[in-house]
Amino acid sequence: MKTELLHSYSSASLAAIARSDSSLTLSQFEYDNNPGGPTATFTTGDETPSKCEAVGACVKDWWGKACRRKTLEKKFPIIRWLPKYDTEKLVADIVAGFTVGLTILPQGLAYATVGGLPPQYGLYSGFVGCFVYILLGGTGEVTVGPTAVMAIITFTYTHGKPPAYAVILCFLTGIVTLLMGIFQLGFIVNFISAPVNSAFTSAAAITICATQIKGLFGLKFAAEGFLPTIKGAIAHIMEVKLWDSILSLICMFSLIFLMKLQLIFSFLIKRFPILNKPLWFISTARNAIIVIVCTAIASGIGETQPFTIVGRIVPGLPDFTIPPFTIIDPATNVTHSFTNILEEEASAVIVMPLLAIMEHITIAKAFAGENTIDASQEMLSIGVSNIIGAFFSSMPVTGSFSRTTVNAMSGAKSPLGGLITGTIVILALRFLTPYFYYIPKASLAAVIVCAVVFTIDFDIVRPMWRSKRMDFIPWSLTFLVSLFVGLEFGMLTGFLISVIYLLYYAARPGVKVKKGFSTSGKEFLLVEMDRSLTFPSVEYIRYVISKASQVWGQNQLPVVINCLHIQFADYTAAVGIKEVIDLFKKRDQQIILWQVKPSIVRVLTGVLNVPGQDEYCHFCRSEEEVESIIDGRNSSEKKLETLHTMDHDSGVDVHTPHPTHREKYSSIPLN
């Protein structure tokens, strides 16, 4: 078999080569009998360039790369899709943008209430992200703005504080997210597993529904979170307002009915297909329809209201001002400096950006189809949206799942539909705020409940339990901590558990111990590992090799370590291998490292005195070499029987002795 190397991906950066004083010429990489592996030759020109010339060359090279069309298209995706834009796509985006605009108006008002802010702040948060994503967004269907989850987390940190705290949180979220995008930290979202994401989303949805109990039943009491709200509702159950309760129930039933409108009238659609589009539009704009109808009823009643209404909303567009780095709390008349704010909201600087990224990337992946999502680029778009939004008194924003679904179902072809959506929000702020006075709070609470209740995901539990029960641990812990302690603690718990799982598997590679028989009948032990050898797994591997040699080799049989799957090793691993070799020397027992890659040999060379040339330690590349060391013959024929397998994927030890030696080689646990 003959192969040709096309490309080699490595975590090492080539920036050091670009900054080197000498030019680097790589010789052909040949993996022949050279144990040192590939070599690199440095050659210098006749004249060494000055430092100024070298710096100038680096700057010129960087500028050239930055100005390449491919790089510009990556950073500004609008350059890629705008030249291909046509009238058909424009019409589709206008329809989608208008539909999303009708959705974001009631949702923005409602989510501001969830965040403990005046209703207008939800609209302040609804237009900047739409405009920014047109330039920086990579997915045509995604819409950026206020969301229920971001609102409830904002409420966690800003409850009982001036609205300026939400604005500064928006700014800090944008700064941290932007820096993460600049430094290409998009891979961080990969450390959050699907069970953790599902548990957090479900707990957040339940928490949001619980916090709307006050709006649904017209109650007034101080409480935040799931348990305090439930306890408060029980304590004030005699204060439930009848008309608010009736209105909220009617609104919820109406919203569910409108959501299933196409399904209910499917028999009519089959006979009259022309009805499909109008019914779909009514179903999509159900939130706006319900809020408009309820507002009209409340305004018709007049000042003597049976409902709890929103009240006066500050009219007009928000002023373009610098984010409030110094906040005066009117309740206590205490001035909080920027340093004080950072100390008070230290965890928010981590939780809010991580939550915004997790929610946005999950949505982008769901609607990207076969396209690849550039997580770092999406971070840039979210970061810039929050930074600019903070200058317009915005609360923290990210991608919205419900409005993105509406956008996709409306036939959006590009992010340009955000131009229409943002314009509708601005017009509403400019001309419609006086009409928001009579919006019943029960209708907004019903809109929120019906928007988030369907995101509760318990369907994952059964298949997860049947496929791999270990994943139920991070799911259950994340769900319980999020629900009963706090969403921010739940997310951090899930993130830490996901990382701990990865570290555990890195520290406990799968190991198989087999008994081998050479052609001449001489016995030996074969140890196989299924992944790289790094410092977390050194002690474990040392223990396994030593125990296997003692239990099945009686400290006499040669031990062959198959290094085929070891792609990476570090200094600590090399020291561990050296200690194993020294132990075998004391026992007068041979150890053979088989199929060691040249890169691994180079790591071991720096630690071992004379690698591969010792009486007890050997480096072999073929089966013939292994046999020649064991019994002096050049033969590739050998027999193996599995003695022990450490299978950490299933979490059990599997003992499979050879059937013909079942009594002679009993299964003995290594741990």
Side-chain angles (χ1 to χ4, degrees):
M1 181 174 66
K2 185 178 180 181
T3 61
E4 178 183 358
L5 179 64
L6 297 178
H7 190 76
S8 177
Y9 293 92
S10 172
S11 60
S13 175
L14 295 180
I17 297 177
R19 293 192 298 265
S20 175
D21 291 337
S22 304
S23 59
L24 176 64
T25 304
L26 296 178
S27 61
Q28 183 180 4
F29 287 175
E30 297 179 354
Y31 289 89
D32 50 7
N33 294 325
N34 177 19
T39 60
T41 302
F42 289 87
T43 61
T44 57
D46 296 335
E47 296 181 0
T48 303
S50 64
K51 290 185 177 181
C52 293
E53 291 175 343
V55 171
C58 289
V59 172
K60 183 178 180 181
D61 181 63
W62 175 85
W63 182 254
K65 291 180 179 179
C67 293
R68 289 177 184 171
R69 181 177 179 83
K70 187 175 181 180
T71 304
L72 291 175
E73 287 180 353
K74 184 177 181 181
K75 298 302 178 185
F76 299 95
I78 188 174
I79 300 176
R80 182 176 63 251
W81 57 263
L82 189 59
K84 304 175 183 178
Y85 206 71
D86 53 29
T87 306
E88 182 180 352
K89 293 180 180 178
L90 177 62
V91 173
D93 285 339
I94 290 175
V95 173
F98 180 76
T99 307
V100 175
L102 293 179
T103 305
I104 196 175
L105 292 180
Q107 281 191 348
L109 297 171
Y111 293 156
T113 305
V114 173
L117 302 170
Q120 66 268 18
Y121 279 82
L123 300 181
Y124 294 166
S125 312
F127 61 90
V128 173
C130 298
F131 298 147
V132 171
Y133 201 77
I134 295 174
L135 298 175
L136 302 178
T139 305
E141 293 84 359
V142 172
T143 61
V144 177
T147 67
V149 176
M150 291 295 286
I152 192 64
I153 293 292
T154 301
F155 178 79
T156 302
Y157 288 104
T158 63
H159 177 63
K161 300 177 181 178
Y165 270 86
V167 178
I168 196 64
L169 276 184
C170 178
F171 182 77
L172 293 175
T173 300
I175 291 294
V176 175
T177 309
L178 179 64
L179 291 176
M180 293 174 70
I182 291 174
F183 290 105
Q184 301 289 306
L185 299 180
F187 66 90
I188 290 178
V189 297
N190 297 328
F191 286 90
I192 301 175
S193 62
V196 169
N197 191 16
S198 170
F200 175 80
T201 303
S202 299
I206 294 174
T207 302
I208 292 169
C209 290
T211 57
Q212 297 309 301
I213 290 177
K214 291 184 286 185
L216 292 173
F217 299 105
L219 298 174
K220 293 182 180 180
F221 56 87
E224 57 178 301
F226 176 72
L227 278 181
T229 304
I230 297 297
K231 292 178 180 178
I234 294 173
H236 296 78
I237 193 169
M238 301 304 296
E239 301 173 11
V240 171
K241 292 186 177 181
L242 178 62
W243 287 107
D244 282 330
S245 303
I246 294 174
L247 181 63
S248 61
L249 289 175
I250 293 175
C251 288
M252 284 192 289
F253 281 119
S254 301
L255 286 168
I256 295 174
F257 175 78
L258 293 176
M259 184 187 303
K260 305 293 183 181
L261 196 62
Q262 287 178 289
L263 180 62
I264 295 173
F265 292 101
S266 58
F267 66 97
L268 284 178
I269 295 175
K270 291 180 180 179
R271 295 185 60 183
F272 307 101
I274 195 174
L275 294 176
N276 186 43
K277 281 290 184 180
L279 290 176
W280 168 84
F281 182 79
I282 294 173
S283 178
T284 302
R286 60 185 177 274
N287 292 335
I289 293 173
I290 292 297
V291 172
I292 291 173
V293 171
C294 291
T295 304
I297 294 174
S299 62
I301 294 174
E303 291 299 327
T304 308
Q305 281 292 325
F307 310 119
T308 304
I309 59 175
V310 170
R312 182 178 182 273
I313 295 179
V314 177
L317 296 173
D319 296 329
F320 181 80
T321 58
I322 297 175
F325 296 108
T326 301
I327 300 175
I328 300 176
D329 191 346
T332 59
N333 201 26
V334 176
T335 301
H336 299 269
S337 65
F338 184 67
T339 306
N340 299 138
I341 296 171
L342 288 179
E343 292 175 355
E344 294 175 13
E345 316 294 350
S347 61
V349 178
I350 300 174
V351 173
M352 297 292 286
L354 190 60
L355 176 62
I357 293 167
M358 182 179 71
E359 189 173 3
H360 184 86
I361 298 300
T362 302
I363 295 168
K365 287 182 177 179
F367 289 90
E370 299 179 355
N371 299 325
T372 303
I373 294 298
D374 186 349
S376 298
Q377 179 62 26
E378 297 298 319
M379 287 180 179
L380 291 176
S381 64
I382 294 300
V384 174
S385 296
N386 279 281
I387 292 173
I388 298 178
F391 287 85
F392 291 95
S393 301
S394 170
M395 60 190 287
V397 299
T398 187
S400 168
F401 188 84
S402 59
R403 293 193 298 277
T404 299
T405 303
V406 170
N407 200 29
M409 294 176 61
S410 302
K413 302 299 181 182
S414 73
L416 195 61
L419 181 63
I420 306 299
T421 301
T423 303
I424 290 176
V425 175
I426 291 175
L427 292 175
L429 281 168
R430 181 67 180 85
F431 300 107
L432 299 181
T433 45
Y435 302 98
F436 295 157
Y437 179 89
Y438 286 104
I439 295 178
K441 289 186 177 181
S443 64
L444 294 180
V447 167
I448 295 170
V449 170
C450 291
V452 303
V453 71
F454 295 102
T455 63
I456 300 175
D457 182 21
F458 289 138
D459 294 336
I460 192 177
V461 176
R462 186 175 179 182
M464 181 173 56
W465 182 262
R466 294 190 318 192
S467 62
K468 191 169 185 181
R469 296 180 181 179
M470 286 289 289
D471 286 335
F472 186 73
I473 295 176
W475 187 93
S476 57
L477 285 177
T478 303
F479 180 79
L480 294 175
V481 173
S482 299
L483 195 60
F484 295 107
V485 181
L487 291 174
E488 67 277 19
F489 297 105
M491 188 179 65
L492 290 177
T493 299
F495 180 78
L496 291 176
I497 292 175
S498 299
V499 173
I500 289 172
Y501 265 43
L502 291 176
L503 294 177
Y504 174 78
Y505 286 116
R508 291 293 184 269
V511 180
K512 290 183 180 179
V513 180
K514 299 180 180 180
K515 178 68 68 66
F517 302 88
S518 66
T519 305
S520 61
K522 291 187 178 181
E523 298 180 9
F524 64 93
L525 294 180
L526 178 66
V527 179
E528 296 179 342
M529 289 174 285
D530 65 353
R531 67 196 73 169
S532 295
L533 184 61
T534 54
F535 65 89
S537 60
V538 169
E539 290 298 325
Y540 174 74
I541 296 300
R542 284 176 54 193
Y543 169 77
V544 170
I545 295 175
S546 177
K547 192 70 174 179
S549 172
Q550 179 182 357
V551 174
W552 288 292
Q554 293 79 43
N555 293 334
Q556 295 179 354
L557 295 181
V559 175
V560 179
I561 302 177
N562 189 351
C563 305
L564 177 64
H565 299 295
I566 299 179
Q567 307 291 336
F568 172 80
D570 54 22
Y571 171 77
T572 308
V575 172
I577 292 294
K578 182 180 183 301
E579 292 175 354
V580 172
I581 294 172
D582 293 339
L583 177 63
F584 273 66
K585 286 182 180 180
K586 294 178 181 179
R587 297 175 177 175
D588 291 333
Q589 188 177 4
Q590 286 187 331
I591 183 170
I592 301 172
L593 302 180
W594 178 34
Q595 302 188 95
V596 188
K597 290 179 172 53
S599 58
I600 309 300
V601 173
R602 287 200 302 273
V603 176
L604 298 178
T605 302
V607 176
L608 302 177
N609 295 327
V610 189
Q613 304 295 327
D614 192 89
E615 180 182 357
Y616 299 98
C617 177
H618 307 273
F619 285 75
C620 299
R621 302 188 61 186
S622 64
E623 295 184 9
E624 290 81 2
E625 295 178 14
V626 175
E627 294 249 352
S628 65
I629 294 173
I630 294 175
D631 58 14
R633 296 186 174 210
N634 292 325
S635 172
S636 61
E637 184 180 340
K638 66 175 184 284
K639 302 176 182 178
L640 293 174
E641 53 172 327
T642 302
L643 296 177
H644 192 82
T645 299
M646 297 296 293
D647 187 358
H648 291 285
D649 288 333
S650 61
V652 297
D653 295 350
V654 183
H655 308 285
T656 54
H658 194 278
T660 59
H661 299 80
R662 195 172 297 275
E663 297 181 0
K664 184 176 179 180
Y665 302 109
S666 59
S667 301
I668 304 175
L670 293 182
N671 55 355

